[in-house]
Amino acid sequence: MLDRDGFRPNVGIVLLNQKNQVFWGKRIRTHSWQFPQGGIDRGETPEQAMVRELHEEVGLQREHVRIVARTRDWLRYEVPDRFIRRDSRGFYKGQKQIWFLLQLVGHDWDLNLRATDHPEFDAWRWNDYWVPLDAVVEFKREVYSTALTELARYLPRNEHRNRFLRQGLRPLGAESGSDEASVGHIDLPPGGSWEPDPHTGNEHV
């Protein structure tokens, strides 16, 4: 489902644990990590789509989370032609997203990557909220930066360490060359990226 401008409506989910760490899922059979996210079906509201995607991708029900906040407006990014399926070129332009900030009120053992017959992830981890945006595919960086920054004002005030600069990999106050200032701090596997490879991810990008 595309809007008249060629953007597909989509929701993104920033799921927090009690330490304000965020859920990352590893795309099945890839080395790519990302937030849960997915398209909005015809007739769904963004919140209804978020609840559905939450269950389909990580196995959580509505009672397992508290909705903390959502982005006020649609955040759009355009996808370069080389990443768009050939049969979609000319009318598909990119995605417009509403991002939700959720607090897990259940337990880690409530997470279930095999809740459906078509799992999106085959591994998961908790990671610091302020991710190094250099690890995000370039054409999505502005949207991710905007979403994380807008939602950050609603973070529960119990964890603020390891805050990354928006345009780099160095935490605030970190000295050059420190361990925390390196990409290795997030433990991505060799060849891994935070976003799925556009050629292996589903539905365009």
Side-chain angles (χ1 to χ4, degrees):
M1 181 178 70
L2 302 178
D3 67 13
R4 61 184 180 182
D5 296 317
F7 289 90
R8 183 170 188 264
N10 185 282
V11 292
I13 300 171
V14 181
L15 176 65
L16 301 171
N17 66 10
Q18 297 304 314
K19 297 179 180 180
N20 281 1
Q21 295 171 317
V22 295
F23 175 97
W24 276 12
K26 188 174 80 65
R27 298 289 297 186
I28 192 165
R29 294 185 294 274
T30 76
H31 291 301
S32 303
W33 296 76
Q34 69 168 71
F35 289 130
Q37 55 193 280
I40 300 174
D41 292 339
R42 190 176 301 278
E44 280 187 321
T45 66
E47 183 172 331
Q48 289 170 336
M50 178 274 293
V51 171
R52 176 179 53 77
E53 290 291 341
L54 186 71
H55 174 68
E56 290 178 359
E57 297 202 352
V58 300
L60 295 179
Q61 302 288 349
R62 177 63 181 85
E63 61 266 23
H64 292 134
V65 299
R66 177 174 65 89
I67 299 177
V68 178
R70 53 161 280 180
T71 53
R72 291 169 295 177
D73 301 313
W74 293 104
L75 302 178
R76 292 172 172 81
Y77 65 80
E78 294 188 12
V79 177
D81 284 344
R82 66 184 183 276
F83 293 144
I84 300 176
R85 290 199 309 254
R86 185 169 299 178
D87 60 353
S88 298
R89 292 175 184 171
F91 58 90
Y92 172 77
K93 185 175 290 186
Q95 297 214 18
K96 63 178 186 180
Q97 299 180 311
I98 294 292
W99 283 85
F100 287 86
L101 181 67
L102 307 180
Q103 177 82 60
L104 179 65
V105 296
H107 304 279
D108 283 11
W109 58 76
D110 293 317
L111 292 158
N112 176 16
L113 303 185
R114 301 288 176 171
T116 71
D117 293 332
H118 304 284
E120 298 284 340
F121 304 126
D122 58 16
W124 66 273
R125 59 171 293 171
W126 296 112
N127 205 79
D128 292 328
Y129 180 87
W130 290 103
V131 299
L133 292 179
D134 284 0
V136 180
V137 66
E138 184 176 1
F139 60 86
K140 293 188 180 184
R141 288 177 191 169
E142 183 175 353
V143 162
Y144 280 72
S145 175
T146 301
L148 289 172
T149 300
E150 181 177 344
L151 295 173
R153 73 187 69 177
Y154 303 103
L155 285 173
R157 296 183 177 276
N158 57 12
E159 174 98 10
H160 291 287
R161 66 175 181 267
N162 292 336
R163 177 170 178 154
F164 286 93
L165 292 173
R166 290 176 58 183
Q167 300 302 322
L169 299 175
R170 294 180 59 199
L172 292 177
E175 295 298 328
S176 177
S178 68
D179 289 341
E180 287 188 336
S182 66
V183 177
H185 177 65
I186 59 174
D187 297 325
L188 291 177
S193 65
W194 189 56
E195 279 296 309
D197 185 320
H199 300 291
T200 58
N202 59 1
E203 288 198 276
H204 307 293
V205 173

